[in-house]
Amino acid sequence: MTDGEIMKELREFVAARDWGQFHSPENLAKSVSIEAAELLELFQWKAPEGLDSLKDELADVLTYCYLLADKYDLDPKDLILEKLEKTKVKYPVEKSRGKSDKYDQL
Amino acid sequence: MTDGEIMKELREFVAARDWGQFHSPENLAKSVSIEAAELLELFQWKAPEGLDSLKDELADVLTYCYLLADKYDLDPKDLILEKLEKTKVKYPVEKSRGKSDKYDQL
Amino acid sequence: MTDGEIMKELREFVAARDWGQFHSPENLAKSVSIEAAELLELFQWKAPEGLDSLKDELADVLTYCYLLADKYDLDPKDLILEKLEKTKVKYPVEKSRGKSDKYDQL
Amino acid sequence: MTDGEIMKELREFVAARDWGQFHSPENLAKSVSIEAAELLELFQWKAPEGLDSLKDELADVLTYCYLLADKYDLDPKDLILEKLEKTKVKYPVEKSRGKSDKYDQL
């Protein structure tokens, strides 16, 4: 299934429930943070056992990212690839290899 | 480009910098939350002007989600679709239409 | 300095800048999350060196918590103590000692 | 009750449950973010009704902030006041009045 087809599925899901009224970009941005924290909660005190909760929470973050991207007619994959090109420039291999420092501290 | 091809790009980017040592699942989960908050920050006091920052921050969240998914050999699109099926059951159209309540309060 | 005196300082700071217009409870709640992620970012890949950044980021989270509490005439210390009493009941010593499980899984 | 007395209450609560082993600074920083998102969740789609949940979630954020401060022998109120002095310098009244812009964009 392509990203386009997934977006169509998500749009139909939202439309059937008339939830578009709640999905302002701001509310979706809040939702990404809320779901990201639920993902983080699985790692709060120790590593999670099993993958079920991790799959669910990761899916929730991805879903709200997709819905927010769709608000602006953005393609999630294009976003990842375009940012990757910028990051490659910010973190040249020879300067950043094996380091976790921020680009302005390399 | 398929999800598989994007994952390959991301893996090569990480490997070239020897950053795999920093990418424990826990660190990636923290990173998803950190980037999600940078996305939210664009909406802290008002709506963002222009799309450039939003595209960058949304890409960062997506990228860490992809890297975390890849740790467990999970396909991001499968995750979204599998969770969507669960959510459809939790939020039947007739009970949830036009409501923002949680499923256990419908 | 008492909590009441700190609140007065914070209120004067906000009033002098006419920032009350931006400080809706929702915006303050977003701000708490945004600052919490900046605190977390200090621990993204390794432990922070030195205390300066940690003090700043922790102060930002606390400050927005105080401002949000003040919106509802709540006293931060009372909040902590009242919640502590609830948590003591949810996590009885004999059941929770040495365990990081949630109360419903003890 | 002073901050010192509250810290003592929190320390006794943690010690009685032998939870200090889970309270690394990193785990506490994660916990601040997780609880901040639970606070934000109350504002996900609309404003919360009633104050009970808000009081609980705000208390949770504050409690983890206090526990993290205590790890480094920091006083929460001192943190707030010291940061306030810095923020006053970064945001002079005459430049920042009525504006929600970041200090480097004023």
Side-chain angles (χ1 to χ4, degrees):
Chain A
M1 195 177 267
T2 67
D3 264 0
E5 286 164 328
I6 287 197
M7 282 297 194
K8 198 162 160 290
E9 288 278 328
L10 291 174
R11 275 184 220 128
E12 285 171 4
F13 170 81
V14 171
R17 283 155 189 79
D18 193 20
W19 282 356
Q21 59 183 310
F22 307 122
H23 288 188
S24 65
E26 185 190 340
N27 282 357
L28 293 173
K30 281 187 282 174
S31 301
V32 172
S33 265
I34 292 162
E35 298 298 342
E38 294 187 5
L39 176 64
L40 183 62
E41 194 181 4
L42 303 176
F43 296 88
Q44 188 170 16
W45 309 117
K46 54 188 176 188
E49 288 160 28
L51 278 183
D52 288 351
S53 302
L54 185 131
K55 287 169 71 175
D56 279 353
E57 300 304 345
L58 190 47
D60 286 342
V61 182
L62 282 164
T63 298
Y64 281 121
C65 285
Y66 268 61
L67 289 171
L68 182 54
D70 199 43
K71 281 277 157 187
Y72 298 104
D73 269 323
L74 301 168
D75 178 82
K77 281 209 279 277
D78 289 348
L79 289 176
I80 292 175
L81 290 172
E82 283 171 29
K83 185 67 199 295
L84 186 60
E85 290 313 305
K86 289 190 194 182
T87 310
K88 282 178 184 172
V89 174
K90 259 167 124 174
Y91 292 90
V93 168
E94 61 277 11
K95 284 179 73 180
S96 60
R97 197 198 308 268
K99 293 182 199 159
S100 64
D101 302 297
K102 278 220 155 181
Y103 67 96
D104 53 3
Q105 284 154 25
L106 284 173
Chain B
M1 194 176 271
T2 66
D3 265 359
E5 286 163 329
I6 287 198
M7 281 298 192
K8 197 163 160 289
E9 289 277 328
L10 291 174
R11 275 184 222 132
E12 285 171 4
F13 170 82
V14 171
R17 283 154 190 80
D18 192 20
W19 282 356
Q21 58 183 309
F22 307 122
H23 287 189
S24 65
E26 185 189 340
N27 282 358
L28 293 174
K30 282 187 280 175
S31 301
V32 171
S33 264
I34 292 163
E35 298 299 339
E38 294 187 6
L39 175 64
L40 183 62
E41 193 181 5
L42 302 176
F43 296 88
Q44 187 171 16
W45 308 119
K46 55 190 175 188
E49 288 160 29
L51 277 184
D52 288 351
S53 301
L54 185 131
K55 286 169 71 174
D56 279 353
E57 300 303 346
L58 191 46
D60 286 341
V61 183
L62 282 164
T63 299
Y64 281 120
C65 285
Y66 269 60
L67 289 172
L68 183 54
D70 199 42
K71 281 278 157 186
Y72 298 103
D73 270 322
L74 301 168
D75 179 82
K77 281 211 279 274
D78 289 348
L79 289 176
I80 294 175
L81 290 173
E82 284 170 28
K83 186 68 198 291
L84 186 60
E85 289 314 306
K86 289 191 195 181
T87 311
K88 281 178 184 172
V89 174
K90 259 167 122 175
Y91 292 90
V93 167
E94 62 277 13
K95 284 179 73 179
S96 60
R97 197 198 308 270
K99 294 184 197 158
S100 65
D101 302 298
K102 278 221 155 178
Y103 67 96
D104 52 3
Q105 284 155 24
L106 284 173
Chain C
M1 194 176 269
T2 66
D3 264 0
E5 286 163 330
I6 287 198
M7 282 297 195
K8 196 163 161 289
E9 288 278 327
L10 292 174
R11 275 185 220 127
E12 284 171 7
F13 170 80
V14 170
R17 283 154 190 80
D18 193 19
W19 283 356
Q21 59 184 308
F22 307 122
H23 287 189
S24 65
E26 185 190 340
N27 283 358
L28 294 174
K30 281 187 281 174
S31 301
V32 172
S33 265
I34 292 163
E35 299 299 341
E38 293 187 7
L39 176 65
L40 183 62
E41 193 181 4
L42 302 176
F43 296 88
Q44 186 170 16
W45 308 117
K46 52 189 175 189
E49 289 160 29
L51 277 184
D52 288 351
S53 302
L54 185 132
K55 286 169 71 175
D56 280 352
E57 301 303 345
L58 191 47
D60 286 341
V61 183
L62 282 163
T63 299
Y64 281 120
C65 285
Y66 269 59
L67 289 172
L68 183 54
D70 199 42
K71 282 278 156 184
Y72 299 102
D73 270 323
L74 301 167
D75 178 81
K77 280 211 277 276
D78 289 348
L79 289 176
I80 292 174
L81 290 173
E82 284 170 29
K83 186 66 199 293
L84 185 61
E85 290 313 306
K86 289 191 195 182
T87 311
K88 281 178 184 172
V89 174
K90 258 169 123 174
Y91 292 89
V93 168
E94 62 278 10
K95 282 179 75 179
S96 60
R97 197 199 307 269
K99 293 184 199 158
S100 64
D101 301 296
K102 279 221 153 177
Y103 67 96
D104 52 4
Q105 284 154 24
L106 283 173
Chain D
M1 196 177 269
T2 66
D3 264 359
E5 287 164 327
I6 286 198
M7 281 298 192
K8 198 164 160 289
E9 289 276 329
L10 291 174
R11 273 183 223 133
E12 285 171 4
F13 170 81
V14 170
R17 282 154 190 81
D18 192 20
W19 282 357
Q21 58 183 311
F22 307 122
H23 288 189
S24 66
E26 185 189 339
N27 282 359
L28 293 173
K30 282 186 282 174
S31 301
V32 172
S33 265
I34 291 163
E35 299 299 340
E38 294 186 8
L39 175 64
L40 182 62
E41 193 180 3
L42 303 176
F43 297 88
Q44 186 170 17
W45 308 118
K46 54 189 175 189
E49 289 159 30
L51 277 185
D52 288 350
S53 303
L54 186 131
K55 286 169 71 174
D56 279 352
E57 301 302 346
L58 192 47
D60 286 340
V61 183
L62 283 163
T63 299
Y64 281 120
C65 285
Y66 269 59
L67 289 172
L68 182 54
D70 198 42
K71 282 276 156 186
Y72 299 103
D73 269 322
L74 301 167
D75 178 82
K77 282 210 277 276
D78 290 347
L79 289 177
I80 293 175
L81 289 172
E82 284 170 29
K83 185 68 199 293
L84 185 61
E85 289 314 305
K86 290 190 194 181
T87 310
K88 280 179 183 171
V89 175
K90 258 167 124 175
Y91 291 90
V93 168
E94 62 278 11
K95 284 179 75 179
S96 60
R97 197 197 310 269
K99 293 184 198 158
S100 63
D101 301 297
K102 278 223 153 176
Y103 67 96
D104 53 3
Q105 283 154 24
L106 283 173

